[in-house]
Amino acid sequence: MEFDLIERIRQRTASHRDDVRLGIGDDAAVVAVPSGRELAIAVDTLVEGIHFPVGTAPADIGWKALAVNLSDLAAMGATPAWALLALTLPTQDEAFIDGLAQGFAELATPFRLALIGGDTTRGPLTVTVAVHGFTAPEEALLRSTARVGDVVMVTGTLGDAAAGLRCLAEADPSPYGELIGRLNRPTPRVSAGQALRGIATACIDVSDGLVADLGHICAQSGVGAEIDAALLPRSSAMLTHFHDADAIDFALGGGDDYELCFTVSAERAGDLAADLARLGCGATRIGRVVEGQGVRVIGLDGEALVPSRAGWNHFTA
Ligand code: ADP
Ligand code: MG
């Protein structure tokens, strides 16, 4: 059974890269790392019912499994090259595999990312992708290097995926397609991450929620941050369907946005925002890096705002 499934995946994700000496089919893949480059490597697992709702279309699962990994490379400023795909499937469902491989390939192709191997096992539906990308020595964007006085910025808009998840529960989710699309098919900000290299002082992708993820930058950099709720970028779909309080709640604590949150000196913030606007996602200044620790949010009324949810944690949720 396995061989047939693997062959279906291989055919649907075919890509050509000269640096892949040996792809799917042998005991291990063999690739050539360009001289003078370093590898950034990340792995992320999606479990049905935890990371995507039961009933999510197979193509959306394939897309998202790759997207969350590309987002990690984006947050490092790395250039994607190769991926591995480990699948655990409850049944040998060919239509499901075809859909998953197609969604994966749709996102992989524009990045010239090659699927070079994986593993296939039986069990509860779980999709693990590992990605490899290139960085130049000293160029990777880190969490640990934010400086007091920097401004805090985010790409795109925040909270849409969490809003989309809420909308899935509606009797008729059809008016909320844009928000649900942000949940099922997040856009990894790969070119934005590359544009940040050598300019941003620290960077992380927003997977667990803005406050939680910016909190990681703060903890690892030994700084605090102040965020103005009024500045949080909200999509037109969010503005159409949700009141301020909900939108801010989604933006601060909802996960799954896969935007980049980064810090940059005030002098360079304007030019960088213009560069990112040219790349299509834009970037918004939402706050500043301060002395101290933790993330403080200033609400619309100018008072400190305690987010109603602290971000996603598998072991306390
Ligand atoms: P082994 O028993 O040596 O691990 P497998 O039968 O697991 O071999 O895999 C055979 C080949 O197919 C390997 O090259 C492996 O990387 C690839 N492969 C297995 N599962 C997948 C998958 N889900 N996606 C992509 N490649 C896969
Ligand atoms: Mg194997």
Side-chain angles (χ1 to χ4, degrees):
M1 89 137 189
E2 249 183 71
F3 175 77
D4 182 49
L5 291 185
I6 295 167
E7 185 54 24
R8 298 185 87 90
I9 293 170
R10 196 184 62 76
Q11 285 170 6
R12 282 163 183 76
T13 57
S15 76
H16 179 75
R17 287 182 67 104
D18 289 340
D19 54 14
V20 179
R21 303 286 186 254
L22 206 49
I24 293 172
D26 213 309
D27 293 310
V30 178
V31 291
V33 183
S35 64
R37 310 236 76 190
E38 295 180 344
L39 287 182
I41 305 172
V43 62
D44 255 318
T45 295
L46 303 189
V47 179
E48 181 179 49
I50 308 267
H51 301 95
F52 57 88
V54 174
T56 301
D60 290 344
I61 298 170
W63 172 291
K64 187 165 183 174
L66 178 57
V68 302
N69 277 280
L70 290 180
S71 179
D72 282 325
L73 291 186
M76 302 301 288
T79 304
W82 313 302
L84 299 166
L85 170 64
L87 278 178
T88 303
L89 303 168
T91 56
Q92 180 178 355
D93 181 342
E94 285 164 0
F96 181 88
I97 285 290
D98 291 354
L100 185 135
Q102 181 228 317
F104 183 101
E106 259 181 84
L107 182 58
T109 304
F111 291 109
R112 293 191 57 249
L113 177 114
L115 181 64
I116 58 171
D119 196 25
T120 307
T121 52
R122 190 188 289 271
L125 179 57
T126 306
V127 185
T128 297
V129 173
V131 285
H132 306 71
F134 303 140
T135 60
E138 313 296 326
E139 238 183 32
L141 301 166
L142 308 183
R143 297 178 177 187
S144 53
T145 41
R147 295 170 311 198
V148 172
D150 286 345
V151 302
V152 178
M153 302 185 79
V154 287
T155 59
T157 56
L158 291 175
D160 298 318
L165 184 62
R166 167 88 61 91
C167 295
L168 274 181
E170 296 287 318
D172 174 17
S174 56
Y176 311 108
E178 205 176 313
L179 296 169
I180 293 168
R182 292 265 294 167
L183 174 72
N184 288 333
R185 293 212 172 203
T187 304
R189 300 301 187 189
V190 174
S191 52
Q194 291 168 9
L196 297 180
R197 289 191 298 221
I199 302 173
T201 52
C203 184
I204 193 168
D205 67 321
V206 181
S207 55
D208 295 336
L210 176 69
V211 171
D213 290 315
L214 178 57
H216 295 314
I217 287 187
C218 289
Q220 295 194 28
S221 297
V223 298
E226 266 179 14
I227 296 301
D228 293 314
L231 300 179
L232 294 170
R234 284 170 258 166
S235 67
S236 54
M238 180 73 87
L239 293 171
T240 304
H241 296 296
F242 288 94
H243 296 297
D244 278 349
D246 281 334
I248 288 171
D249 198 38
F250 289 137
L252 292 173
D256 266 4
D257 286 322
Y258 302 102
E259 297 294 348
L260 298 180
C261 174
F262 57 93
T263 57
V264 60
S265 71
E267 300 78 60
R268 305 192 79 174
D271 285 348
L272 192 51
D275 289 346
L276 296 178
R278 275 191 291 276
L279 290 175
C281 62
T284 306
R285 181 178 177 147
I286 58 169
R288 61 208 75 84
V289 179
V290 297
E291 281 176 25
Q293 56 183 32
V295 178
R296 204 172 92 90
V297 182
I298 301 161
L300 296 181
D301 56 2
E303 302 289 319
L305 186 160
V306 180
S308 65
R309 35 182 174 176
W312 180 253
N313 181 316
H314 284 281
F315 296 100
T316 57

